[in-house]
Amino acid sequence: MSKRVLTPVPLTAERFAPYGDVIQTVGTSDKTMNDARFDRFDDLAKVDIESSDGGHVSISIVKSKTPTTLPHQFDLVERHPMGSQAFIPLSVFVFAVVVAPAGESVDAKDLRAFVSNGSQGINYHRGVWHMPLIATIEGSRFLVVDRAPGEGNVEEVILDQPVILQAF
Amino acid sequence: MSKRVLTPVPLTAERFAPYGDVIQTVGTSDKTMNDARFDRFDDLAKVDIESSDGGHVSISIVKSKTPTTLPHQFDLVERHPMGSQAFIPLSVFVFAVVVAPAGESVDAKDLRAFVSNGSQGINYHRGVWHMPLIATIEGSRFLVVDRAPGEGNVEEVILDQPVILQAF
């Protein structure tokens, strides 16, 4: 079976717009707070969850235990039908996201790969297909903002062909 | 008028429990994700917002523009009646939080001061009185998870006596 090879391109808000939000500060803001002690970059991502059935928005941390070596081959993608999901690095490090548009089905050919600049986080819109998170550095930590409980909020699909994410 | 002097004590989940959540990883977790590539520290803070009237949970970033020198004197505290509010450092740095229990009124004598260990974030529970955020390092960035729009969701009170937050 042929493999689909993905070379990540730099993550920008424009490129990522079909899939979600880029959580970042660019330049200065025209809003401040607390007597102008801070620049405010407001509402960079809207958290969108299904709150019926006891769901709530939750803040968690995931910490890399077994880093991934690139190139990384995978054949499974997932989506969260009941809510958006944000990952924000808690220190400066780059990471890759691989996504495909929300929809009932997904093909390897629909996947796009992006690499962050070290200070960016992302928010997947509800239902957007994505590669399960990987980290390349042991101990690196991401803040997660998504729906709890997680049970019943993940769908996985095995792709029609394996995918290789190239080094970045 | 006499001043109330606050010396911050180390922030712990136990000490902060009356006011909110500490967002941190301690030790290892008994939960993993993505084939055990990550330790999961789940649901460290529950985001609690009033969603009527068009409110939603929002992710923002604030960036220190004018750092504060300690000791820091202030006489104003605020609370957010329509939702919790989380601040999580996006790199490793310590910061202070000064809080008083939720309630209709607040006195300087009710205030308690805490200092983080550099890797901790916090989530103020809805209605908890707090000193407006300060940072001691220019350019330091906090992720914010709270309710948008912010309009109509802040109450400020001038304290009965000025407060001095000691250096940490």
Side-chain angles (χ1 to χ4, degrees):
Chain A
M1 190 186 297
S2 72
K3 294 176 180 175
R4 174 144 164 74
V5 177
L6 291 172
T7 303
V9 299
L11 179 67
T12 67
E14 293 69 25
R15 287 174 175 158
F16 199 64
Y19 314 104
D21 313 294
V22 178
I23 299 167
Q24 63 183 341
T25 57
V26 177
T28 55
S29 172
D30 55 356
K31 292 186 71 172
T32 62
M33 75 168 203
N34 296 0
D35 298 328
R37 288 197 293 262
F38 291 88
D39 275 324
R40 292 176 64 151
F41 299 83
D42 261 6
D43 216 3
L44 300 172
K46 179 175 178 173
V47 180
D48 162 36
I49 70 146
E50 180 56 54
S51 58
S52 65
D53 202 20
H56 67 268
V57 177
S58 169
I59 300 177
S60 305
I61 294 176
V62 295
K63 184 176 179 180
S64 169
K65 187 185 173 83
T66 309
T68 298
T69 305
L70 300 175
H72 170 56
Q73 178 168 328
F74 64 99
D75 64 0
L76 179 148
V77 292
E78 63 182 27
R79 66 170 178 170
H80 306 295
M82 300 174 84
S84 58
Q85 186 178 49
F87 290 102
I88 305 103
L90 289 178
S91 57
V92 175
F93 60 88
V94 301
F95 69 106
V97 293
V98 179
V99 285
E104 284 310 298
S105 65
V106 57
D107 284 329
K109 68 174 170 35
D110 300 327
L111 294 172
R112 298 290 178 272
F114 301 96
V115 59
S116 71
N117 67 9
S119 300
Q120 296 167 317
I122 57 96
N123 182 49
Y124 297 121
H125 287 167
R126 189 197 289 222
V128 164
W129 294 102
H130 55 275
M131 172 186 74
L133 186 70
I134 60 170
T136 56
I137 302 167
E138 184 181 340
S140 55
R141 300 184 311 147
F142 290 88
L143 195 79
V144 186
V145 182
D146 65 358
R147 183 186 193 270
E151 287 72 27
N153 187 25
V154 61
E155 291 174 16
E156 296 176 339
V157 161
I158 303 295
L159 295 164
D160 49 333
Q161 63 181 141
V163 178
I164 296 176
L165 175 65
Q166 295 282 50
F168 47 81
Chain B
M1 188 185 300
S2 72
K3 294 176 180 174
R4 174 145 164 74
V5 178
L6 290 172
T7 304
V9 299
L11 179 66
T12 66
E14 293 70 24
R15 287 173 175 158
F16 199 65
Y19 314 104
D21 312 294
V22 179
I23 299 166
Q24 63 184 341
T25 56
V26 177
T28 55
S29 174
D30 55 358
K31 292 185 72 171
T32 61
M33 74 169 203
N34 296 0
D35 297 328
R37 289 196 293 262
F38 290 88
D39 275 323
R40 292 176 66 150
F41 299 82
D42 260 6
D43 216 3
L44 300 172
K46 179 176 176 170
V47 180
D48 162 37
I49 70 147
E50 180 56 54
S51 59
S52 64
D53 202 20
H56 68 268
V57 178
S58 168
I59 301 176
S60 304
I61 294 176
V62 295
K63 185 177 180 180
S64 170
K65 186 186 174 81
T66 310
T68 298
T69 305
L70 300 176
H72 170 56
Q73 178 169 329
F74 65 98
D75 64 1
L76 179 148
V77 292
E78 64 181 27
R79 66 169 178 171
H80 306 294
M82 300 174 84
S84 58
Q85 186 178 49
F87 291 103
I88 304 103
L90 289 178
S91 57
V92 175
F93 60 86
V94 300
F95 69 106
V97 294
V98 179
V99 285
E104 283 311 299
S105 64
V106 57
D107 284 329
K109 70 171 168 36
D110 300 326
L111 294 171
R112 299 289 177 272
F114 301 96
V115 59
S116 71
N117 67 8
S119 300
Q120 296 168 317
I122 56 98
N123 183 48
Y124 297 122
H125 288 168
R126 189 198 288 224
V128 164
W129 294 102
H130 54 274
M131 172 187 75
L133 186 71
I134 60 170
T136 56
I137 302 167
E138 184 181 340
S140 54
R141 300 185 310 147
F142 290 88
L143 195 80
V144 186
V145 182
D146 65 358
R147 184 186 192 272
E151 288 71 28
N153 187 23
V154 61
E155 291 174 18
E156 297 177 340
V157 161
I158 303 295
L159 295 164
D160 49 332
Q161 62 181 143
V163 178
I164 295 177
L165 175 66
Q166 295 281 51
F168 48 81

